[in-house]
Amino acid sequence: MKLTFVHVIFCSCCFIYFSLGQQFEIPEANIELLYPVGYKVSIPGNCCKLRRSPRLDQDLTNNLCISKITIIVFVNNQRLQNVKASCKSFYIISVLQDRSGIRLFAFHGKLNEEFDGRHDGGYYSQDIRSKKNNKWVYTDKTTRFKVGDVINYWFFVDYYDGRNQFGYVSDYRKFNITACPRDIMNDMGVCTAPDPSRYEVPDATVEILQPRGFRVSIPDQEGISLYAFHGKINEPFDGREAGYFARDITSPRNGRWVFTDNDTFLKPGDTIYYWLYVDHTDKRGNKLGHLKEHQKYVVPGESSCWKSLTIWNGEQACSGRLLFNETFDIFNSGSWTKDIRFADEPDYEFVIYNNFEENLYVKEGKLHIKPTLADEKYGEDFIYTPNGYDLGSTCTATTTYDCRRIPFGGYSLPPIFSSRISSKSSLKYGRVEIRAKLPKGDWVYPQILLSPKRYAYGSNYDSGEIRIAFVAGNANLNGELHGRILLGTSSTSRQYGITKKIARSWSDDYHIFSIIWNPDSINFFVDDAEYGQIVPPRGGFSKILEKEKPETAAKWKHGTPLAPFDKEMIIKIGVGVGGHTFPDSIPNKPYTNEEPKPQLRFYKAKNYWKPTWNKDTELIVDYVKVFAL
C-alpha cells in the first residue's frame, strides 16, 4: 500500500464539531455513445480516505471552536479544491491513497426495458476486474441506438478499505439518448453511417467445391438489388472486361448473394481473378452502382488452410479441421468452467449447481454428472434452512440472488444438487459431436446444448439456445429423443423448432449426438444418422415473434434469417431436474409450472419420484468434438 502525502491548508475561526471520517460512496457513472455503434460506461479508478493529523485530533478533543472553514488541497503541486475564507490557523493533513480500493466493477444494463429486481442481470452484463487508463470501463460494441432510446442500468462494486472487502450496489439509473455521436442520425432517428454515398461493396467469400467448381458470395445487406460476378481463371483482366464467368444475381439465398460454378476443375495454385458490381439503394432512395475491382483468390495446396464459414474463438477456421477434442482423461480447467450458482429463469429447474465430488467427477476417461438430494448431504428438510444457503466467493453468477437464497413465506430452497460445465471456447457454425450415455430417473434430463457466448439479442432465450440432445429420464418418456432450438419462454417459441426420433430407450447405452450448424439451417444426428432439420421461415425466425415479442423480433431482423443463431455460442454439459422444461401436459407431473411454489410441491412428492433414481441416474460423457464446416 503506497502512501501519498497531500498538503491541505485548513483555514478556520470557530467550529462546534468537525470530522474527517469518510465512508465509501458509489461513484457516478459516465456513459458515452461510441461511433458508429455501441457505448461505454466508466467509473473513476481511484478512491481516497482521509486521516486526521494528531494536532487536529487534539484540538477537536479540546472542543476547539472553528467556523468559516477554508480547505485548499494540493496534490503534486496541483490545487484540487479551494473555498475562500479568512484564515486564522493552518494544519497539514496526510492523506492515505488506497490504490487497491475498488476490486471489481459489475455492470448490468437493458435497453428500453425496466429491471425485474436485482436477480435480473440484464442482457448487458459483465464483471470488470481490471482498470483501463485509471477507469473501470464496460464497453459494448454492437448495439445500434436511435434517439429516444433509454439505457436502464445498475452496477455493483467490490471495495477494499484496507482491512475488509465490501460489496456496494447502485440504485437503478437511466441514460436517455437524445442525440447520436457525430450527428449520424438518419431520417428515422437511427444512429447510422453518416454518408450514404460512401457505401462499399463487402468483401467476398470464395469457396472451392469438391470435386469441381467454386462459389463466390457476399452477405446480403439492406439496399442491395443486384450482384454481378465477373471472373477469369489464371488470366488477369485487361481493363473492365466481362471475363469467362459473367452473371447477374437478382436475389439473395439464405442471407447471401451467391455466384456458383459447378463445372470448373481447379487445382492447387490456380488463381481466380474477379471483380464485382452491386446495385445499392441508400436510405434516401438513391440507387447507385458500386464496383469492387482487382480481386484475386489463389487455390490453396492440400496442406494449406481453406477458409471455412466456421468461426472459432472469434477467428475464421480452416475447413474440415478438428478444432476441439475433449476426451476427459482429466478435468481440464483450461477448457471448461464449472457453473456454481442457483438455477433461475428461464427454466427454473429445482437445482443448485455446485462443485461437489459426488455430483461431478472424472473416472476412467469419462465425465460423470450425477444429481443428488440435498437432504443426503445436509440432513432432512434442507430446503427450510433458516439462514439459507450461500455459495460465497465460488459463485459464478453475476447477481446476489443467484449466489445466495433464504427461504421465506413458504418459499423453499432448491432440493437438488447437480453440476454443469461451460466451455471456454466458442463457435459460430460448425459440427459438434458428443458421445454420451444419458441419465434415467423421473424428472431428470441431460443438458447437452449450445448457449450464447454473449446475449447480443437479449436475456434468457431471446438470444437462443440449441439443445443437441434432450431425453427425459422418466421411463414413459425415455424413448423420445429431441433435438430442438429455443426462441423464447412461451409455449409457441418453445415448441416451434423440435425434431424427434423414437426408440425403446435412449438411456440404456452410449450414443453419438451431433449437430451441423450451417448459416441457413441446423441439422440433428444420432449415431451418424440425420433425424431432423430446422430452417427459419421466410423472413427469418423474427416472423415467429412479431406479435408475441415485437421488440425481440426487431432485434433479430438486424441479423441474418437464422438470427438469433448467427452469433458465437459455447457448449454446456450438465444435468437438470424439474422446472419449466417439462410441460404441464405430462401425466402425473407432481407440480405445475405456473403455481407459486412448484419446487416445494416437487420436494413433498419425493417419495414418488426418488425411488426411480439409481446408479443410472447420471450423465456420462465419453468425448466432445468440434469440427469446422
Side-chain angles (χ1 to χ4, degrees), residues 310-317 425-428 453-454 568:
T310 297
I311 302 297
W312 179 250
N313 293 328
E315 301 290 337
Q316 192 172 8
S425 296
S426 60
L427 76 150
K428 182 175 78 170
K453 178 181 179 180
R454 299 183 181 90
E568 288 186 61

Side-chain angles (χ1 to χ4, degrees), residues 380-455:
E380 193 73 15
D381 291 338
F382 160 80
I383 64 171
Y384 301 116
T385 304
N387 295 328
Y389 193 74
D390 191 345
L391 293 168
S393 60
T394 63
C395 183
T396 58
T398 58
T399 62
T400 301
Y401 181 73
D402 291 333
C403 294
R404 180 174 183 264
R405 292 188 189 172
I406 299 175
F408 68 94
Y411 290 90
S412 66
L413 296 173
I416 304 297
F417 283 121
S418 188
S419 291
R420 185 173 65 194
I421 61 175
S422 300
S423 68
K424 293 185 177 180
S425 296
S426 60
L427 76 150
K428 182 175 78 170
Y429 312 136
R431 177 160 65 96
V432 181
E433 182 179 295
I434 298 173
R435 184 174 186 265
K437 185 174 183 290
L438 305 184
K440 292 182 178 181
D442 285 1
W443 317 112
V444 177
Y445 63 92
Q447 296 167 324
I448 303 176
L449 52 91
L450 297 184
S451 183
K453 178 181 179 180
R454 299 183 181 90
Y455 288 81

Side-chain angles (χ1 to χ4, degrees), residues 183-200:
D183 296 322
I184 59 172
M185 182 177 70
N186 65 13
D187 295 337
M188 303 298 291
V190 178
C191 303
T192 188
D195 185 3
S197 66
R198 292 178 59 187
Y199 174 81
E200 294 183 3

Side-chain angles (χ1 to χ4, degrees), residues 32-63:
E32 174 187 355
L33 296 185
L34 303 180
Y35 174 89
V37 295
Y39 67 103
K40 180 167 64 177
V41 183
S42 63
I43 62 172
N46 282 344
C47 185
C48 299
K49 297 185 296 181
L50 298 181
R51 186 178 66 195
R52 291 192 291 269
S53 71
R55 179 176 176 183
L56 182 58
D57 283 336
Q58 182 179 358
D59 290 337
L60 292 176
T61 303
N62 295 332
N63 287 324

Side-chain angles (χ1 to χ4, degrees), residues 24 28 34 64 90 142 159 219 329 332 374 392 396 448 515 536 544 587 610 618 623-624:
F24 176 79
E28 289 297 321
L34 303 180
L64 173 67
F90 297 88
T142 61
Y159 175 76
D329 297 315
N332 188 349
T396 58
I448 303 176
I515 64 163
I544 299 168
K610 187 59 172 67
E618 65 174 344
Y623 65 75
V624 179

